[in-house]
Amino acid sequence: MLDRLLRLALLALTGLIAVSAVSGGVLIVTGIDKFPPEWLDGTPFGDYLWPGIILFAVGLSSAAAFVAVLARRPFAAVASIAAGIVMVGWIAGEVVLVQQNSAVTSPRAAMEPIYAALGIGVALLGAVSLRSRRAPR
């Protein structure tokens, strides 16, 4: 029963992150979703192309974990841990580099703690899943 709940939770969270990050990356790269250029002041980025590509890659890591969990691959737990770490790394980088991590600055910034929590949740669920697979029954 616990394995089933872990699997469903991992599918829900990795699926949510995958859809959100892949679509967000596409919207940013294509210029459909626009952000103020001044948010990139002091970062290594001159425009939003690379941040969009990186966000797309973040989504692909969660998509890979989703597929691994769905297909019950032996490495699904490790893929989930990695995807969670990648998500948290993206948010940490966004907060540090863009420095617009206050809801007062941008309503979108209110999502940063939510996505950080999702990434942490995926990594922790992956770790629990990995541990439960290795535990003697």
Side-chain angles (χ1 to χ4, degrees):
M1 178 68 165
L2 178 60
D3 287 340
R4 180 185 164 115
L5 288 175
L6 278 171
R7 185 170 180 267
L8 290 174
L10 279 170
L11 286 170
L13 295 180
T14 57
L16 174 68
I17 292 170
V19 169
S20 178
V22 166
S23 62
V26 168
L27 292 173
I28 291 169
V29 167
T30 59
I32 294 170
D33 201 356
K34 297 185 186 302
F35 296 98
E38 58 270 12
W39 283 3
L40 294 179
D41 291 348
T43 73
F45 306 110
D47 60 29
Y48 284 97
L49 176 64
W50 279 107
I53 291 169
I54 295 167
L55 181 57
F56 184 83
V58 169
L60 289 182
S61 74
S62 283
F66 177 88
V67 170
V69 172
L70 185 65
R72 300 177 192 267
R73 306 306 287 175
F75 56 86
V78 173
S80 297
I81 294 167
I85 291 169
V86 167
M87 183 73 229
V88 172
W90 164 260
I91 293 298
E94 183 177 308
V95 169
V96 169
L97 288 176
V98 178
Q99 297 180 6
Q100 53 86 27
N101 58 349
S102 166
V104 174
T105 306
S106 164
R108 294 173 190 243
M111 297 302 292
E112 290 169 347
I114 293 169
Y115 279 105
L118 288 172
I120 291 167
V122 167
L124 289 176
L125 287 171
V128 169
S129 179
L130 184 63
R131 185 177 173 114
S132 71
R133 287 188 56 228
R134 292 184 175 170
R137 298 193 186 242

